[in-house]
């Protein structure tokens, strides 16, 4: 089951407070911490809806392999409008979606993993009887949620009787689900100041001959072209020039010996770009191998860096305490 995340960071023209997504949180910023936490839990794709200070924010997260959607009307719309935009985009990308605003950066990867173990249409984490963020929603409910026109935004949409009865509340011991970072004063909260991102492995997978010609950046580029049907849109979302995009494609085509795209420009029906059958197959296998390497990297991380690893969950959601490795790990390893 493919799980994505939607982070709303569009802001509002009338906001007089600090720019929430880029407030300092531990050794990072609010938006980067949320993205990295989601990535640690294996969430993909991660979509961020931007608006206020959009160029600055998108450059700030450009290397984290996220998809940025721009709400150009952020000054005249509500947060729920940005949620609608993101949900419409993600409806066909994954089976379920985590939804949250960028002001809740302190939740833990283990909370995300615990929520994914539930098979309910809507999953909400709860601390001491209080619901928090993020919320996990099945893609089958997206049309119903996005069509909601009542009050209280997403909360009102989830309170519709036919959705409310499908909500599964799971208790968690994670204060981060209710700890909002709204202002600079909030950043001085000891829990926020001390909220350093845990040391974790990042496996970078490149293919090359004399030089590398295909890696994570190229994979993200092709994925976006395949979904949007536009190379120009993919270049814009990745903050690179159209010329650079073509240069990357030509270099990869030369090394692999087959075309990556079928394109058509202009005309009454407009232009489009789509992946060839060969490039779709190549991308699928690259992403599958990248995922396998990432999972292996997590297990090796437990073996070689037990003092940082803590508990790593295996594919079945069980805690792997390293018993499969020749160096038995202590059960009390902590971050």
């Amino acid at each position: 089951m493919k799980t994505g995340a939607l982070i709303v960071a569009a802001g509002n023209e009338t906001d007089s407070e600090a720019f929430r997504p880029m407030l300092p949180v531990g050794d990072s910023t609010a938006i980067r911490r949320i993205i990295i936490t989601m990535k640690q839990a294996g969430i993909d794709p991660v979509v961020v809806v931007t608006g206020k200070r959009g160029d600055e924010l998108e450059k700030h997260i450009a290397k984290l392999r996220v998809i940025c959607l721009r709400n150009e009307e952020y000054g005249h719309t509500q947060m729920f409008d940005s949620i609608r935009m993101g949900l419409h985009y993600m409806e066909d990308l994954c089976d379920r979606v985590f939804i949250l605003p960028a002001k809740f950066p302190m939740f833990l990867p283990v909370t995300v993993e615990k929520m994914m173990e539930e098979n309910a249409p809507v999953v909400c984490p709860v601390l001491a009887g209080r619901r928090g963020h993020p919320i996990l929603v099945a893609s089958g409910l997206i049309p119903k949620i996005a069509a909601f026109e009542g009050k209280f935004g997403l909360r009102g949409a989830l309170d519709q009787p036919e959705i409310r009865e499908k909500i599964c509340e799971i208790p968690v011991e994670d204060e981060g689900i209710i700890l909002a970072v709204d202002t600079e004063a909030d950043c001085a909260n000891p829990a926020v100041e001390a909220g350093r991102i845990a040391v974790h492995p990042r496996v970078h997978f490149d293919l090359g001959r004399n030089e590398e010609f295909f890696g994570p950046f190229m994979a993200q580029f092709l994925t976006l072209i395949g979904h949007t049907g536009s190379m120009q849109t993919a270049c814009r979302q990745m903050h690179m020039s159209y010329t650079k995009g073509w240069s990357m494609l030509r270099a990869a085509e030369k090394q692999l010996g087959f075309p990556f795209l079928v394109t058509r420009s202009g005309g009454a029906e407009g232009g489009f770009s789509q992946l060839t059958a060969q490039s779709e197959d190549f991308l699928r296998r690259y992403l599958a191998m990248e995922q396998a390497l990432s999972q292996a990297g997590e297990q090796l991380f437990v073996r070689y860096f037990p003092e940082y690893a803590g508990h790593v969950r295996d594919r079945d959601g069980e805690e792997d305490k390293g018993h499969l490795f020749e160096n038995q790990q202590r059960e009390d390893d902590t971050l």
Side-chain angles (χ1 to χ4, degrees), residues 108-149:
L108 301 173
V110 67
T111 294
V112 175
E113 292 164 355
K114 186 174 182 179
M115 293 175 68
M116 286 195 294
E117 292 172 1
E118 298 294 334
N119 197 31
V122 182
V123 182
C124 293
V126 176
L127 178 69
R130 181 178 173 185
R131 286 185 184 175
H133 294 275
I135 296 168
L136 181 59
V137 175
S139 60
L141 291 179
I142 287 179
K144 182 69 177 177
I145 292 173
F148 180 70
E149 297 289 347

Side-chain angles (χ1 to χ4, degrees), residues 47-262:
V47 173
V48 181
V49 180
T50 67
K52 184 178 182 180
R53 294 168 62 176
D55 286 338
E56 178 184 0
L57 179 58
E58 289 170 16
K59 289 178 183 178
H60 180 63
I61 60 178
K63 294 183 179 180
L64 294 179
R65 289 181 73 177
V66 299
I67 300 170
C68 291
L69 305 179
R70 184 75 67 89
N71 179 3
E72 300 289 359
E73 302 298 322
Y74 70 92
H76 311 288
T77 57
Q78 302 298 315
M79 180 187 294
F80 190 54
D81 295 298
S82 294
I83 291 175
R84 280 196 188 100
M85 174 187 291
L87 289 178
H88 282 310
Y89 184 90
M90 299 185 74
E91 185 175 356
D92 298 324
L93 280 181
C94 44
D95 302 299
R96 51 189 183 173
V97 181
F98 281 102
I99 308 171
L100 77 159
K103 67 177 183 177
F104 289 96
M106 302 305 297
F107 63 94
L108 301 173
V110 67
T111 294
V112 175
E113 292 164 355
K114 186 174 182 179
M115 293 175 68
M116 286 195 294
E117 292 172 1
E118 298 294 334
N119 197 31
V122 182
V123 182
C124 293
V126 176
L127 178 69
R130 181 178 173 185
R131 286 185 184 175
H133 294 275
I135 296 168
L136 181 59
V137 175
S139 60
L141 291 179
I142 287 179
K144 182 69 177 177
I145 292 173
F148 180 70
E149 297 289 347
K151 297 180 180 179
F152 309 118
L154 180 61
R155 180 159 60 93
L158 295 178
D159 199 41
Q160 298 177 88
E162 58 269 44
I163 296 180
R164 184 173 63 240
E165 63 186 15
K166 298 177 181 178
I167 296 176
C168 172
E169 295 184 343
I170 61 166
V172 298
E173 297 297 325
D174 179 2
E175 293 183 358
I177 70 168
I178 59 173
L179 182 56
V181 180
D182 268 318
T183 66
E184 291 181 358
D186 293 330
C187 301
N189 183 319
V192 176
E193 281 191 328
R196 300 183 66 193
I197 296 171
V199 176
H200 60 281
R202 293 183 179 180
V203 178
H204 189 95
F205 172 36
D206 284 316
L207 296 171
R209 289 183 186 274
N210 185 47
E211 296 179 349
E212 291 80 10
F213 64 87
F214 197 103
F217 192 82
M218 185 66 170
Q220 176 79 348
F221 185 39
L222 291 180
T223 299
L224 289 174
I225 292 174
H227 183 65
T228 65
S230 169
M231 181 176 160
Q232 188 172 14
T233 299
C235 288
R236 184 173 65 252
Q237 290 186 357
M238 296 189 68
H239 278 269
M240 70 174 172
S241 69
Y242 193 71
T243 301
K244 180 180 178 180
W246 269 120
S247 177
M248 288 170 50
L249 284 169
R250 295 304 183 218
E253 289 176 338
K254 182 177 179 180
Q255 296 297 330
L256 293 171
F258 59 81
F260 272 51
L261 298 183
V262 175

Side-chain angles (χ1 to χ4, degrees), residues 222 258-261 275-284:
L222 291 180
F258 59 81
F260 272 51
L261 298 183
L275 304 184
T276 63
Q278 280 180 296
S279 64
E280 280 188 339
D281 176 66
F282 186 86
L283 176 62
R284 177 187 58 77

